[in-house]
Amino acid sequence: MDRRQLLGLGIAGLLPLPAIAATSASRSFRIIRDGSDIGTHTLSATKGPNGFEIDITIRIAVKLLGITVYRYEMDNRELWTGGNLQNIQSRVNDDGTDDFVTARRENGKLMVEGSSFTGEAPDGIATTSYYNKAFLDRRPWMSTQSGRLLSISIAEGGPNAYKVSGDLVTTLEYDERGEWINSRFDAGGEAAFYEITRESGLIGELWASA
């Protein structure tokens, strides 16, 4: 290697490295009701050649005197490209009641088969997965539990908080990055809320870039 090649390597070493676009993000919550942990909610997102894919897992068990009196389990996978839902596969055990949603885009139409709705869903829908602040501007929302198309209204509920009413009642909170950080809702007559236990990357940003 001659002097000119060595000099070139030295200059190259001083140049800034190109930015590497993020391809994954995740977030985990614990769910708290009446001061007690009742479950977990995890999200794991990736961006690949097929678009933005996210896996969502919810596990809730409400106990009374050590006995589980209510159980909720969800396993949901969503695929998005260009801001449009392409596919969803969700299964739910709601305390012994099985619910589901299966949807796939065919010939430009999102066809849904769910435990509460079967048919074509309009473009621009949001899912009740909450991870994306951009969903606040979309109507209708589709239940990831049953496929039902929900009519909702949203009003500001304080700094970075939004009150959802109508077919779904909850309060959602997002931070200054637009990332979902909390949900507050009624759980059997008691107030429940989320608390982040682990996070990496920006899920909303990953969704927007897919």
Side-chain angles (χ1 to χ4, degrees):
M1 182 177 293
D2 61 25
R3 181 174 179 275
R4 185 167 50 187
Q5 290 173 310
L6 287 171
L7 182 61
L9 286 174
I11 293 174
L14 297 176
L15 294 175
L17 294 173
I20 300 175
T23 58
S24 65
S26 64
R27 185 159 288 105
S28 298
F29 299 90
R30 65 183 183 128
I31 307 170
I32 302 167
R33 173 184 181 269
D34 193 27
S36 299
D37 286 12
I38 61 169
T40 59
H41 187 142
T42 62
L43 307 97
S44 179
T46 58
K47 187 180 73 171
N50 294 326
F52 169 91
E53 189 170 74
I54 186 165
D55 288 295
I56 301 165
T57 303
I58 303 174
R59 296 290 185 268
I60 295 174
V62 179
K63 296 186 177 182
L64 180 63
L65 300 177
I67 300 173
T68 300
V69 295
Y70 175 76
R71 186 180 301 277
Y72 184 94
E73 300 173 340
M74 170 183 280
D75 293 287
N76 174 25
R77 173 172 288 181
E78 300 175 12
L79 174 66
W80 296 75
T81 59
N84 286 311
L85 182 63
Q86 304 297 319
N87 188 293
I88 181 172
Q89 301 285 334
S90 182
R91 293 292 182 271
V92 171
N93 169 19
D94 187 354
D95 205 33
T97 298
D98 293 329
D99 281 308
F100 69 93
V101 187
T102 299
R104 182 182 300 276
R105 192 167 293 276
E106 301 173 352
N107 299 318
K109 298 179 179 180
L110 185 66
M111 304 306 298
V112 180
E113 182 179 353
S115 49
S116 292
F117 173 79
T118 296
E120 181 182 348
D123 281 338
I125 65 166
T127 62
T128 54
S129 297
Y130 308 147
Y131 57 80
N132 188 357
K133 190 177 181 182
F135 288 174
L136 297 177
D137 296 322
R138 296 192 169 205
R139 303 292 186 278
W141 286 8
M142 182 175 72
S143 167
T144 55
Q145 176 166 328
S146 67
R148 180 185 174 196
L149 301 183
L150 306 175
S151 176
I152 56 100
S153 297
I154 296 178
E156 291 188 4
N160 301 316
Y162 303 85
K163 290 185 175 181
V164 182
S165 59
D167 290 337
L168 176 67
V169 177
T170 189
T171 296
L172 303 174
E173 297 179 17
Y174 298 85
D175 65 14
E176 66 280 356
R177 305 168 301 173
E179 292 294 298
W180 177 42
I181 57 172
N182 193 8
S183 178
R184 299 181 181 273
F185 55 98
D186 178 83
E190 297 286 349
F193 64 95
Y194 278 40
E195 184 177 279
I196 294 175
T197 58
R198 182 179 59 84
E199 66 173 330
S200 67
L202 301 176
I203 293 178
E205 184 177 286
L206 204 64
W207 176 92
S209 66

